[in-house]
């Protein structure tokens, strides 16, 4: 009888493809947002960078980009969960010319060998010139 081994995916490096799914490397895409050297210019880019933060385990970035009215005190990541892909399904507003926007997405993951996805329509607002995540809109 053999035991099924679950291999942990390689860590994201600066030269890795960005977890958010854009064509750039992590260094060119979401890393500057995570480091705080640039703000996400649109609600969609913030959503993508937050997905990447989940993929790389950057709780600090997630909390910094969460609206104070809905931000939790802390985050615990499920060690066995691996984020495997992101689909942007639609957006409203959220550009440099808007004060609010929504991003509908499906985030794919594996957990204990099973695949799954999270579907959400997220609400974002711009505060002090920076986009922040507010909450998920209720399902219609």
């Amino acid at each position: 009888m053999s035991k099924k081994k679950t291999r942990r995916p390689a860590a994201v490096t600066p030269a890795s493809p960005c977890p958010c799914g854009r064509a750039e490397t992590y260094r060119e895409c979401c890393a500057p947002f995570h480091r705080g050297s640039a703000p996400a210019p649109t609600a969609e880019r913030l959503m993508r960078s937050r997905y990447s933060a989940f993929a790389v385990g950057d709780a600090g970035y997630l909390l910094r980009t969460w609206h104070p009215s809905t931000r939790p005190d802390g985050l615990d990541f499920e060690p066995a969960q691996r984020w495997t892909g992101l689909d942007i399904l639609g957006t409203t507003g959220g550009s440099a010319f808007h004060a609010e926007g929504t991003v509908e997405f499906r985030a794919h993951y594996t957990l204990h060998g099973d695949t799954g996805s999270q579907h959400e329509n997220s609400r974002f607002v711009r505060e002090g010139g920076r986009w922040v995540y507010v909450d998920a809109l209720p399902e219609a």
Side-chain angles (χ1 to χ4, degrees):
M1 223 181 206
S2 67
K3 288 186 177 179
K4 182 179 178 184
K5 282 188 166 182
T6 304
R7 272 187 30 186
R8 184 179 176 103
V12 175
T13 68
S16 298
C18 194
C20 81
R22 290 174 48 100
E24 296 92 355
T25 64
Y26 175 64
R27 174 189 305 115
E28 298 164 329
C29 193
C30 289
F33 305 144
H34 294 172
R35 287 191 312 265
S37 58
T42 66
E44 180 183 337
R45 289 295 302 275
L46 180 63
M47 199 274 114
R48 287 179 177 278
S49 69
R50 286 176 55 83
Y51 171 84
S52 290
F54 275 103
V56 302
D58 189 344
Y61 179 76
L62 291 164
L63 293 170
R64 285 191 309 276
T65 58
W66 211 311
H67 194 275
S69 69
T70 56
R71 180 187 314 136
D73 292 332
L75 293 174
D76 291 321
F77 294 111
E78 168 57 61
Q81 189 168 32
R82 299 292 173 258
W83 295 96
T84 59
L86 176 66
D87 299 320
I88 301 297
L89 305 175
T91 63
T92 62
S95 78
F97 302 106
H98 295 102
E100 56 187 47
T102 65
V103 179
E104 183 180 6
F105 69 91
R106 180 166 280 109
H108 304 274
Y109 62 86
T110 61
L111 179 61
H112 303 295
D114 296 322
T115 61
S117 66
Q118 175 184 338
H119 176 250
E120 185 174 304
N121 195 1
S122 297
R123 187 166 59 112
F124 298 87
V125 296
R126 197 159 38 169
E127 296 226 336
R130 294 180 180 263
W131 286 103
V132 292
Y133 168 78
V134 179
D135 57 14
L137 295 170
E139 293 282 329

